[in-house]
């Protein structure tokens, strides 16, 4: 057995390990092949599995975890149809069942047979592998755990039908491939190729409850996002206002809130707006909901990238797909810097009002605009109070507020960001004090 025996699960990542390992499983007792060559290939496979374990954080039964990794990353007609929605109808199920029969044979193989034949003690290590740390270079602990759990569940499957059900349940709950296993992405270019969507492996796990205040703003954002995720009409969103007030944190929080319901986020920068059409083309046929996220969005007078954004949001010949929305944050209400020349009567341009309208029309393409204003002194103190309580800061309130007021005067003024930085400082000081006491 090797990947050539698959109908759907072909061109898999690291499939050479599968091909070599299954060859050893089929031929280890075959006297036609040189014994030392077979043993050497077995050792190479073990080495490859251990290297993959270090790269992806896999543990437990490494052979099963590797097979589960292949299934979790195998993007094909069957797996992409099942992502988010689960089991589907059609002839593709019969083809998938054929592939799962091959996979099940590989799960059922007892690695101890290889140890007995080659006189080694590698199987016990492979079947009970403990990794160096919980995270990896590619996956965080959450993703690693899901893949290892999938491997354990598939190893227990009694037959191909049970195997099939476990896989489709996994695709429904977590998706498949890069989009299934990760929640956030960025855009990169390799040489002259189209823009590539690559995962961001370490994201901030923030929730809306972590953002003190701004209840109306958070509800407005949540309501629009919930409509989007649940398949109802929803609008593009612009969060604007003072810096450090939680605009970016709010968008990160809704990603964490709705990731399990199929929400994904792609971060894109101003210089990459030319790639917007390519990015949308790559995601429009997937079952996920994608938010294209633009942080700190603004344009100077000489910059024309906003024209690409306008065309993509609304105005081009191709309709923006229903599974894509654009969320942006900005400190500017109108996004594009306006000069006095844009409005004064003696402007050299004959139709100066057209210039102004062209610049303002970008904001009009965001159906929901949400204002985040800087807190007043009372609101700032409330933020400090709540953050200090969560952080376990042991300081009386009067002293806390006095120190916070001193901090904000030299660290950017009244804002949620300033408050969070102050609490971080206090936590560091408290840790130093406790260490000296100990």
């Amino acid at each position: 057995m090797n990947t050539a025996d698959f109908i759907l699960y072909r061109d898999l990542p690291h499939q050479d390990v599968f091909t070599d390992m299954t060859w050893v499983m089929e031929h280890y007792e075959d006297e036609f092949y040189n014994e030392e060559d077979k043993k050497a290939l077995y050792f190479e496979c073990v080495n490859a599995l251990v290297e993959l374990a270090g790269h992806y954080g896999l543990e437990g039964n490494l052979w099963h975890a590797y097979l589960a990794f292949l299934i979790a990353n195998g993007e094909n007609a069957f797996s992409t149809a099942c992502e988010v929605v689960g089991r589907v109808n059609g002839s593709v199920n019969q083809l998938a069942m054929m592939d799962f029969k091959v996979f099940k044979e590989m799960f059922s193989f007892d690695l101890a047979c290889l140890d007995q034949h080659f006189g080694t003690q590698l199987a016990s290590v492979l079947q009970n592998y403990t990794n160096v740390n919980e995270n990896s270079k590619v996956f965080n602990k959450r993703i690693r755990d899901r893949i290892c759990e999938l491997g354990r569940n598939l190893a227990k499957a009694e037959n191909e039908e049970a195997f099939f059900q476990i896989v489709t349940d996994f695709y429904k709950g977590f998706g498949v491939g890069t989009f299934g296993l990760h929640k956030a992405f960025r855009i990169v270019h390799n040489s002259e190729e189209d823009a590539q969507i690559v995962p961001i492996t370490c994201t901030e796990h923030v929730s809306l409850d972590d953002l003190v205040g701004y209840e109306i703003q958070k509800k407005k954002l949540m309501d629009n996002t919930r409509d989007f995720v649940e398949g109802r009409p929803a609008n593009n969103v612009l969060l604007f206002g003072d810096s450090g007030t939680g605009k970016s944190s709010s968008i990160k929080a809704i990603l964490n809130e709705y990731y399990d319901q199929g929400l994904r986020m792609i971060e894109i920068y101003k210089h990459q707006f030319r790639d917007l059409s390519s990015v949308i083309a790559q995601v429009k046929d997937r079952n996920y909901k994608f938010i294209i996220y633009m942080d700190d969005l603004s344009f100077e007078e000489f910059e024309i990238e906003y024209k690409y954004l306008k065309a993509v949001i609304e105005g081009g010949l191709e309709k923006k797909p229903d599974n894509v929305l654009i969320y942006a944050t900005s400190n500017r209400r109108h996004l594009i810097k306006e000069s006095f020349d844009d409005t004064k009567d003696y402007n050299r341009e004959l139709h100066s009002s057209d210039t102004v309208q062209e610049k303002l029309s970008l904001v009009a393409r965001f159906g929901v605009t949400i204002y985040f204003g800087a807190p007043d002194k009372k609101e700032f103190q409330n933020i400090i109070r709540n953050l200090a309580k969560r952080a376990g800061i042991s300081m009386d309130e009067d002293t806390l507020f006095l120190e916070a007021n001193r901090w904000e005067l030299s660290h950017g003024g009244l804002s949620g960001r300033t408050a969070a930085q102050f609490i971080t400082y206090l936590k560091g000081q408290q840790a130093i004090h406790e260490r000296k006491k100990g």
Side-chain angles (χ1 to χ4, degrees), residues 225-243:
T225 307
R226 186 183 303 111
D227 286 340
F228 177 52
V229 169
E230 295 178 358
R232 295 186 292 273
N235 284 295
N236 301 305
V237 179
L238 172 65
L239 286 70
F240 71 98
D242 299 305
S243 61

Side-chain angles (χ1 to χ4, degrees), residues 204-425:
E204 187 178 1
H205 195 75
V206 60
S207 70
L208 284 175
D209 290 337
D210 295 330
L211 182 63
V212 180
Y214 301 98
E215 299 303 323
I216 295 175
Q217 291 90 332
K218 290 189 291 187
K219 184 179 186 305
K220 198 172 182 180
L221 182 63
M222 285 280 286
D223 288 346
N224 189 77
T225 307
R226 186 183 303 111
D227 286 340
F228 177 52
V229 169
E230 295 178 358
R232 295 186 292 273
N235 284 295
N236 301 305
V237 179
L238 172 65
L239 286 70
F240 71 98
D242 299 305
S243 61
T245 52
K247 301 183 296 295
S248 300
S249 295
S250 296
I251 292 182
K252 295 173 187 175
I254 59 137
L255 173 61
N256 293 323
E257 179 74 21
Y258 291 106
Y259 163 73
D260 289 339
Q261 298 181 43
L263 182 65
R264 302 294 184 266
M265 189 168 289
I266 303 172
E267 186 174 33
I268 190 166
Y269 298 101
K270 185 166 54 179
H271 68 277
Q272 298 172 321
F273 283 179
R274 293 173 181 266
D275 299 320
L276 275 169
S277 296
S278 173
V279 170
I280 291 175
Q282 294 178 55
V283 303
K284 66 180 181 180
D285 295 324
R286 302 301 292 263
N287 290 337
Y288 309 100
K289 301 290 185 179
F290 291 93
I291 288 176
I292 296 179
Y293 169 47
M294 305 168 182
D295 189 34
D296 197 18
L297 186 63
S298 65
F299 301 92
E300 300 300 324
E301 291 178 281
F302 58 86
E303 294 177 315
I304 63 169
E305 286 87 350
Y306 73 92
K307 295 178 182 289
Y308 296 106
L309 181 55
K310 282 173 59 177
V312 167
I313 295 179
E314 185 180 327
L317 290 177
E318 184 177 10
K319 176 181 177 291
K320 182 168 64 63
D322 293 335
N323 69 330
V324 174
L325 281 184
I326 293 175
Y327 281 20
T329 69
S330 179
N331 295 336
R332 291 180 182 173
R333 172 65 178 86
H334 291 134
L335 299 180
I336 304 169
K337 182 178 179 181
E338 296 177 76
S339 67
F340 186 65
D341 282 345
D342 285 337
T343 55
K344 64 186 181 181
D345 293 335
Y346 55 88
N347 188 286
R348 276 180 274 179
E349 186 176 352
L350 182 60
H351 301 290
S352 60
S353 63
D354 291 349
T355 302
V356 176
Q357 288 302 315
E358 181 187 24
K359 292 182 175 182
L360 296 181
S361 65
L362 176 58
V363 174
R365 284 167 163 78
F366 290 90
V368 173
T369 55
I370 306 174
Y371 174 65
F372 282 72
D376 58 25
K377 181 71 73 174
K378 183 177 180 181
E379 292 170 333
F380 180 74
Q381 291 180 340
N382 184 48
I383 294 173
I384 291 291
R385 181 188 298 111
N386 280 273
L387 293 181
K389 182 178 180 181
R390 293 175 189 172
I393 301 297
S394 55
M395 182 182 293
D396 70 88
E397 196 167 274
D398 290 341
T399 305
L400 178 67
F401 289 162
L402 178 62
E403 293 299 319
N405 290 338
R406 289 174 177 170
W407 179 273
E408 64 90 2
L409 288 173
S410 58
H411 292 82
L414 302 174
S415 73
R417 178 183 295 145
T418 302
Q421 292 169 346
F422 171 65
I423 296 300
T424 299
Y425 165 75

